[in-house]
Amino acid sequence: MVTFKGLEAEVLIDNLTKPLQEYTSDDDPSTENSVTRYVKAISGAEFALRVYLDADAVIPYGVSCCVYVDGEKITKSAIPPRYLASKTPYIKDILGRKTCQKDGTFLERTQFSTIQLNTAEEALDSEKLKSMSKRVAKIGTIEVHILRIIYHGRRGSSKFDDPKYALGAVPEKALKGQALSHTTSFLNREKIAHRHHVETTYVDATPYAKFIFKYRSRAALQAMLIIPRDPSPESSPPPPSDPYDDMSPEELRRLLRQQNVRFPLLLFLGTRLTGPQTTLVKQERGVKRERRESSTVSRVSGRIKQEAVVLDLSDEDVPTIKKKKTKMQVIDLTDD
């Protein structure tokens, strides 16, 4: 909600239940008689305005409330001083465009709509392009003008209004790269109570207070740096690296000595070492041959010697191999 000169205004959606969040911009500072805010437009959302009038701000005068959307006046109402003479602010809701026709008075509610672009390459003369550019400059704005008036009373029925229509397709040339995303469209008209014409005299030549709301899409507001951009999705963490990948052969050997790693783990890590000690553990050919021969023995009594390999990592930089003799007994289970 914007507060200015004792008056307040806001843009509401969801059947007047939810005010739109407002944003400021250094490019649109407040002036002596106007204040500007940005709001986020949602395509297809119906919106309305609500104005709070404090008697202390305008008494002894009445108020004329005039609303412009996309540069076109959609409604105007006069509020006599007696309505404002209260301890609480007078609340004025602007639901949409009001028109007085031969068959009655009608209300057309307002909603946000995405701008329709005319991408056809059609030639526009300078006067038509100038006129269209002037209209486009007002797209995406809602203005509430508050003027102080001397209220003289009713003077018969309201005059007939020339119906206004929503802006059609906009030529791309007329946009000139402006950060515009939405315009206002009007819903089907609904008949309302007949209104009367009143006679007033303006106290000031210019509006006493002017509330300006500029509505844009979220993407447009981010492009204008009015709201922060969405954070980039966090990339998944890289898989944990193998601590042995960055170790030199010497570091791997030192690690093996410190942890007193035995034969099985050494075989696993041995392939990581480079240089003349790539193969740390070698089985003697005689051992292999002896194993093959032992598997073919069928009728041997007694004991066959076989060597087991034990690795000593305690002393030298390069692991050495010691042989320890063990005995294995083979039992002949065949019959004589």
Side-chain angles (χ1 to χ4, degrees):
M1 182 184 300
V2 187
T3 302
F4 185 63
K5 288 189 173 182
L7 309 173
E8 296 175 328
E10 59 186 349
V11 182
L12 303 172
I13 59 173
D14 294 346
N15 198 23
L16 298 176
T17 60
K18 182 180 178 181
L20 289 179
Q21 185 173 350
E22 298 160 359
Y23 307 94
T24 59
S25 173
D26 295 336
D27 295 333
D28 295 281
S30 300
T31 64
E32 183 179 353
N33 68 335
S34 69
V35 60
T36 301
R37 293 291 185 270
Y38 283 82
V39 294
K40 183 175 66 175
I42 304 172
S43 297
E46 183 180 330
F47 70 90
L49 299 168
R50 177 168 288 172
V51 181
Y52 300 83
L53 303 171
D54 192 342
D56 294 337
V58 295
I59 287 296
Y61 303 108
V63 165
S64 173
C65 183
C66 189
V67 178
Y68 295 83
V69 172
D70 294 343
E72 298 289 340
K73 184 173 70 174
I74 66 169
T75 188
K76 179 182 178 182
S77 57
I79 304 169
R82 66 178 183 273
Y83 289 176
L84 304 175
S86 173
K87 294 181 181 180
T88 58
Y90 177 83
I91 298 177
K92 174 65 177 178
D93 288 336
I94 299 99
L95 304 179
R97 179 172 62 189
K98 292 181 180 179
T99 58
C100 184
Q101 304 297 322
K102 292 181 179 181
D103 54 345
T105 302
F106 299 91
L107 169 68
E108 298 170 279
R109 298 179 185 270
T110 49
Q111 71 174 7
F112 296 122
S113 299
T114 304
I115 291 179
Q116 301 299 318
L117 292 179
N118 182 4
T119 57
E121 292 293 337
E122 58 179 275
L124 293 176
D125 58 75
S126 58
E127 289 299 325
K128 187 176 181 180
L129 182 59
K130 182 178 179 180
S131 176
M132 179 62 71
S133 299
K134 185 177 180 181
R135 175 74 189 278
V136 167
K138 289 291 186 178
I139 289 178
T141 61
I142 304 169
E143 296 188 11
V144 181
H145 294 190
I146 304 297
L147 298 97
R148 296 182 298 179
I149 59 172
I150 298 174
Y151 187 86
H152 300 297
R154 292 182 179 181
R155 294 293 186 271
S157 299
S158 295
K159 300 178 181 179
F160 294 142
D161 298 312
D162 293 330
K164 306 292 183 182
Y165 297 97
L167 185 68
V170 179
E172 285 186 313
K173 293 181 180 179
L175 286 179
K176 295 181 179 179
Q178 300 180 67
L180 299 176
S181 59
H182 285 74
T183 184
T184 296
S185 60
F186 300 93
L187 303 178
N188 295 333
R189 65 179 191 170
E190 53 189 90
K191 199 166 186 177
I192 58 176
H194 189 67
R195 60 181 186 177
H196 299 275
H197 175 69
V198 297
E199 184 177 344
T200 62
T201 301
Y202 291 110
V203 176
D204 308 301
T206 58
Y208 172 74
K210 190 185 330 184
F211 297 90
I212 303 173
F213 297 96
K214 296 186 176 183
Y215 57 94
R216 303 287 189 273
S217 67
R218 178 182 180 86
L221 292 175
Q222 290 176 330
M224 299 170 67
L225 303 181
I226 293 177
I227 63 175
R229 296 181 181 273
D230 296 329
S232 302
E234 296 183 359
S235 58
S236 57
S241 59
D242 190 338
Y244 302 111
D245 288 344
D246 298 329
M247 298 179 68
S248 66
E250 180 62 30
E251 291 173 331
L252 284 171
R253 287 191 289 270
R254 187 180 302 110
L255 176 64
L256 294 175
R257 289 196 302 272
Q258 291 174 352
Q259 296 184 354
N260 195 21
V261 179
R262 295 301 178 184
F263 183 75
L265 183 57
L266 184 60
L267 285 177
F268 172 73
L269 296 178
T271 57
R272 297 178 178 273
L273 302 180
T274 60
Q277 294 84 16
T278 299
T279 305
L280 292 180
V281 179
K282 297 182 179 179
Q283 293 180 324
E284 297 294 335
R285 294 182 180 179
V287 177
K288 292 182 180 179
R289 187 184 304 111
E290 186 176 5
R291 289 179 180 175
R292 287 195 299 269
E293 293 173 356
S294 62
S295 63
T296 60
V297 175
S298 58
R299 297 184 180 182
V300 178
S301 61
R303 296 181 179 179
I304 298 177
K305 297 181 180 180
Q306 186 175 2
E307 295 176 346
V309 179
V310 178
L311 181 66
D312 184 2
L313 301 175
S314 59
D315 297 326
E316 300 297 331
D317 289 340
V318 179
T320 59
I321 297 176
K322 292 184 179 182
K323 298 181 180 179
K324 183 179 179 181
K325 294 184 178 180
T326 58
K327 296 181 178 180
M328 182 175 63
Q329 184 177 6
V330 179
I331 300 175
D332 184 4
L333 301 178
T334 58
D335 297 332
D336 291 329

